[in-house]
């Protein structure tokens, strides 16, 4: 097997990706470089042709800085070798968060230095049969954002119910486009595609549709299933599903942690769940290009273990319908 290195924060080396029968296009590449012992899991991607010029002398695709390598008939390595810049250098940042509280978990420690604009996709209620939940969550987020110094004009409240994002993609794309234009966004930061929550995964789709070719898209960590092959799912927080592009981990100062903790405490309706997240660091990366036509990982997705009505197939069917309706494609 060929190898991939991390050298000064950039990926170098070679890889020979092969789509494994029955396993989709997911595999782990073991690095055999002397200076690097880590394994680099590779995500699946659409099949596209590759020019022979992109192939290394050993017949394997070769990573070079800033080059996307697409092996013929196999898979695209979602490679962006640049290290994610520090949030304070992102410029006018729009956090695209699926639910109230996601934005604080994502970037709360940086609110007073980044001054993000915040776009919510949902009102955080709707699935649970509690009529007042939407109102309660709106009050909670209002209080938290005020604490973080976010002005009300920098905030767009969510309009669809929890678990409803995939079914509302065309309308949400329009709203987000208008919002990013209004605030003159330099970049967006959102959830990764990891099967933790269907709205998180749909947020990733929406940001690709709005931002691809227009502005950088970064990702923050949310949560996913740490035991996808076990009948009992378990929550993994504060980490990306797999290493795809170099990550930026920022250890929060004592002051940043205190602010984040205070803001999280505003979300009293979510207190138990939020207690499962670490507030010592925040982690970001440049969003890779995903193949949403396949599940983000094998086994059971976290949200599929909750007994909700939505599973991956229903989610993808909604996304596919939205893409058809909009007449767009997400292929790289
Ligand atoms: Zn969420």
């Amino acid at each position: 097997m060929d190898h991939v290195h991390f050298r000064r924060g950039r990926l170098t080396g070679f890889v020979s990706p092969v789509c494994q029968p029955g396993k989709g296009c997911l595999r782990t590449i073991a690095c055999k470089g002397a200076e690097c012992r880590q394994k680099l899991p590779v995500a699946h991607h659409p099949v596209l042709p590759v020019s022979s010029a992109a192939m290394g002398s050993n017949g394997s695709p070769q990573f070079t800085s800033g080059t996307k390598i697409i092996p013929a008939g196999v898979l695209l390595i979602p490679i962006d070798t640049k290290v994610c810049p520090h949030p304070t250098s992102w410029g006018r940042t729009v956090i695209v968060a699926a639910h109230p509280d996601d934005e604080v978990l994502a970037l709360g420690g940086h609110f007073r230095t980044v001054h993000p604009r915040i776009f919510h996709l949902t009102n955080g209620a709707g699935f649970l049969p509690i009529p007042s939940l939407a109102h309660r969550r709106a009050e909670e987020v209002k209080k938290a954002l005020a604490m973080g110094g976010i002005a009300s004009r920098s905030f767009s409240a969510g309009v669809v119910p929890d678990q409803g994002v995939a079914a509302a993609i065309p309308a949400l794309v329009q709203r987000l486009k208008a919002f990013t234009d209004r605030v003159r966004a330099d970049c967006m930061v959102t959830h990764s595609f990891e099967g933790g929550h269907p709205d998180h995964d749909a947020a990733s789709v929406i940001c690709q549709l709005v931002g691809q070719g227009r502005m950088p898209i970064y990702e923050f960590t949310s949560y996913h299933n740490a035991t996808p092959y076990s009948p009992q799912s378990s929550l993994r927080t504060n980490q990306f599903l797999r290493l795809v592009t170099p990550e930026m981990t920022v250890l929060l100062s004592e002051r940043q942690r205190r602010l984040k903790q205070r803001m999280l405490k505003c979300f009293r309706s979510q207190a138990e769940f939020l207690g499962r997240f670490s507030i010592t660091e925040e982690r970001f990366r440049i969003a890779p290009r995903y193949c949403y036509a396949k599940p983000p990982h094998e086994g059971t997705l976290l949200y599929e273990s909750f007994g909700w009505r939505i599973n991956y197939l229903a989610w993808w069917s909604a996304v596919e319908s939205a893409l058809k309706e909009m007449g767009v494609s997400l292929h790289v």
Side-chain angles (χ1 to χ4, degrees):
M1 186 187 292
D2 302 307
H3 52 267
V4 174
H5 303 301
F6 262 100
R7 197 176 288 144
R8 291 191 207 96
R10 302 182 90 85
L11 282 167
T12 60
F14 300 91
V15 61
S16 55
V18 179
C19 189
Q20 295 181 339
K23 291 195 171 182
C25 295
L26 289 172
R27 64 174 297 193
T28 297
I29 296 170
C31 177
K32 293 181 179 173
E35 76 271 50
C36 172
R37 294 179 187 280
Q38 62 189 308
K39 288 186 173 181
L40 178 69
V42 175
H44 49 276
H45 260 262
V47 174
L48 290 174
V50 63
S51 73
S52 56
M55 307 300 279
S57 56
N58 64 352
S60 295
Q62 184 171 13
F63 283 123
T64 52
S65 176
T67 303
K68 288 189 171 63
I69 302 303
I70 308 163
V74 192
L75 71 153
L76 168 71
I77 303 298
I79 189 76
D80 191 326
T81 58
K82 293 194 289 289
V83 176
C84 181
H86 192 281
T88 50
S89 64
W90 288 353
R92 287 182 294 268
T93 300
V94 172
I95 301 178
V96 181
H99 312 104
D101 72 23
D102 284 331
E103 70 294 315
V104 176
L105 287 171
L107 200 70
H110 288 89
F111 275 10
R112 290 193 175 273
T113 47
V114 174
H115 308 293
R117 287 71 171 165
I118 294 166
F119 185 91
H120 278 169
L121 297 170
T122 77
N123 59 13
F127 175 68
L128 294 171
I130 306 172
S132 61
L133 187 60
H135 176 71
R136 191 174 170 195
R137 294 200 74 171
E139 290 300 309
E140 289 172 348
V141 77
K142 202 168 139 191
K143 193 174 164 191
L145 297 189
M147 204 175 272
I150 310 292
S152 56
R153 67 178 181 283
S154 300
F155 170 59
S156 172
V159 290
V160 304
D162 188 89
Q163 297 175 38
V165 176
I169 286 175
L172 288 168
V173 164
Q174 278 203 348
R175 280 176 60 93
L176 180 56
K177 263 186 187 155
F179 185 76
T180 53
D181 286 347
R182 179 168 73 74
V183 302
R184 293 181 296 127
D186 291 320
C187 73
M188 288 186 289
V189 58
T190 192
H191 305 268
S192 67
F193 179 50
E194 60 183 349
H197 192 295
D199 294 340
H200 295 184
D201 290 356
S204 171
V205 173
I206 287 169
C207 284
Q208 287 295 333
L209 289 169
V210 172
Q212 208 177 87
R214 276 182 76 211
M215 66 184 84
I217 306 169
Y218 305 117
E219 290 183 340
F220 50 75
T221 56
S222 298
Y223 53 83
H224 54 264
N225 190 358
T227 52
Y229 299 106
S230 161
Q232 196 74 34
S233 65
S234 56
L235 189 76
R236 180 183 287 131
T237 62
N238 299 88
Q239 289 178 42
F240 289 108
L241 175 66
R242 61 175 70 87
L243 180 60
V244 180
T245 58
E247 297 172 7
M248 159 70 66
T249 301
V250 184
L251 291 176
L252 300 184
S253 67
E254 194 54 46
R255 193 173 174 176
Q256 287 174 312
R257 288 181 203 182
R258 275 202 304 270
L259 172 64
K260 186 163 181 165
Q261 186 73 68
R262 278 172 44 225
M263 287 191 287
L264 287 175
K265 279 189 176 163
C266 296
F267 299 97
R268 294 178 71 172
S269 67
Q270 310 298 311
E272 192 189 338
F273 185 63
L274 295 178
R276 301 167 80 172
F277 290 80
S278 160
I279 57 159
T280 56
E281 78 280 322
E282 291 177 352
R283 194 164 280 133
F284 311 101
R285 69 181 182 190
I286 295 170
R289 303 279 186 89
Y290 293 105
C291 171
Y292 298 101
K294 290 183 180 179
H297 62 74
E298 296 175 27
T300 307
L301 303 184
L302 186 70
Y303 66 80
E304 289 178 327
S305 69
F306 295 157
W308 294 350
R309 278 174 300 177
I310 190 164
N311 59 12
Y312 169 75
L313 287 177
W315 180 88
W316 169 242
S317 169
V319 173
E320 205 176 18
S321 301
L323 297 179
K324 271 188 196 151
E325 183 185 327
M326 297 167 70
V328 294
S329 151
L330 272 171
H331 286 181
V332 181

